[in-house]
Amino acid sequence: MSKVSLEGQVAVVTGAARGVGELLARKLSARGARIALVGLEPDALKQVGERLHGDSAHWHADVTDHEAMTRVAAEVRERFGRVDIVVANAGVASGGPFTESDPESWRRVIEVNLIGSAVTGRAFLPALTESRGYLLQIASLAAITPAPMMTAYCASKSGVEAYAHSLRAEVGHKGVRVGVAYLSWTDTDMVRGADQDGVMRELRQRLPWPANKTYPLGPAVDRIVAGIERRAVHVYGQWWLRGMQGVRGYLPGIIGTVGQREMRRFADRLTGVRTGLVGAGGAADEQHRTASTTQRH
């Protein structure tokens, strides 16, 4: 598909304070897009905005809050006059055995990654319909293949993949294109946070090549930008993920067999695995929820 120029386009990026969202905002801005940054950390978002090349603004909002995101969508539309691109990137992760997992953290992964993506889509689809724009849902290798110790994350990313595919069929006739972006382990705060736990790090290192590597952020985001320019249905942050689509039907059985063996190997070390949200983004989310609970009481 031919590329669409990003010059003057208005792009909304959720989870824009760091990682994929922050670098994506910078690369879209460098191509002439006007950027609306959305996230939980206003100071960090302000700093990101100050590093952008052109017109930008930031909004503090929880993507799971329908009223807040509806307000943000209206204010972005008022501030920029239109919305052409929305990247539903906001996400958190947790790890560890399901039976030992913190129920609140487990639920929060589903709420942010899946419900938050749907809330984002619901809020911005009217504006995207006006502009015949593009919604890109950030998914993961976790949507293609299951993995032990990652039940919440795999469930959430499988969910957003199915949601985005279903939505594409609903809104395509209105001129809105919907894409799904897949990334393997990429050098972000979230992945580094997960690697702080020895068991999680060793389990990942024992995955077969090329899924056992951590990939640099820059090339992955370049592929996402190229996908946005093409309004692509599928975007692959690492080249080999495209090939995974053809074999994904076999993966649950393979992972089930291999995973049991590996879990048996690590059985005596599982009691110390961290079960909360990982990385600085996870810490920011937990801080936000604590503050919200305190305000209600």
Side-chain angles (χ1 to χ4, degrees):
M1 177 176 288
S2 60
K3 290 185 177 182
V4 175
S5 172
L6 299 178
E7 185 70 37
Q9 298 254 300
V10 176
V12 178
V13 181
T14 68
R18 60 175 54 79
V20 171
E22 185 270 340
L23 185 55
L24 178 60
R26 285 200 280 127
K27 288 181 178 288
L28 293 175
S29 176
R31 286 163 173 76
R34 296 177 287 164
I35 310 296
L37 307 163
V38 182
L40 289 178
E41 301 165 83
D43 292 340
L45 292 172
K46 180 181 179 181
Q47 293 174 8
V48 173
E50 290 170 349
R51 293 194 292 269
L52 300 183
H53 293 266
D55 192 11
S56 69
H58 68 272
W59 280 264
H60 173 251
D62 183 337
V63 294
T64 69
D65 186 332
H66 175 71
E67 291 185 2
M69 290 301 289
T70 300
R71 171 184 54 79
V72 168
E75 292 178 1
V76 171
R77 176 74 170 76
E78 181 179 1
R79 167 69 170 75
F80 292 103
R82 60 186 291 128
V83 176
D84 301 286
I85 301 158
V86 174
V87 183
N89 167 72
V92 294
S94 65
F98 173 71
T99 54
E100 306 300 324
S101 63
D102 171 48
E104 290 190 12
S105 295
W106 200 99
R107 179 186 292 270
R108 186 61 179 170
V109 173
I110 303 297
E111 288 175 346
V112 174
N113 297 2
L114 176 54
I115 306 302
S117 293
V119 169
T120 299
R122 189 183 300 276
F124 282 99
L125 273 169
L128 290 177
T129 301
E130 286 183 13
S131 66
R132 300 176 70 85
Y134 179 62
L135 172 65
L136 181 63
Q137 175 62 58
I138 302 296
S140 168
L141 171 63
I144 298 175
T145 180
M149 308 274 278
M150 294 177 58
T151 53
Y153 194 73
C154 288
S156 69
K157 291 302 184 179
S158 296
V160 297
E161 180 192 43
Y163 150 73
H165 288 332
S166 297
L167 185 63
R168 181 185 308 117
E170 290 188 25
V171 300
H173 72 284
K174 299 178 181 179
V176 179
R177 295 187 64 84
V178 178
V180 180
Y182 302 88
L183 289 89
S184 183
W185 304 91
T186 305
D187 188 20
T188 63
D189 174 80
M190 181 187 293
V191 171
R192 291 191 295 270
D195 275 353
Q196 290 179 1
D197 182 272
V199 172
M200 294 294 293
R201 182 175 63 253
E202 289 180 45
L203 273 172
R204 187 162 72 82
Q205 291 171 345
R206 293 181 65 85
L207 292 171
W209 183 88
N212 59 351
K213 293 178 57 179
T214 297
Y215 292 86
L217 181 60
V221 174
D222 285 338
R223 285 174 172 262
I224 294 173
V225 172
I228 292 172
E229 290 175 325
R230 299 192 312 273
R231 302 295 197 261
V233 170
H234 296 103
V235 180
Y236 298 99
Q238 288 80 30
W239 62 269
W240 54 271
L241 289 170
R242 183 187 301 273
M244 296 290 286
Q245 295 283 24
V247 299
R248 62 187 298 172
Y250 301 98
L251 296 176
I254 295 171
I255 296 299
T257 300
V258 175
Q260 289 182 55
R261 182 191 67 204
E262 295 301 323
M263 293 301 289
R264 189 177 299 112
R265 182 193 304 272
F266 287 99
D268 60 345
R269 298 171 57 190
L270 295 180
T271 55
V273 173
R274 172 180 164 81
T275 59
L277 302 182
V278 300
D285 188 89
E286 291 178 342
Q287 183 178 5
H288 164 75
R289 283 184 290 140
T290 300
S292 298
T293 301
T294 301
Q295 291 172 2
R296 286 197 297 270
H297 295 286

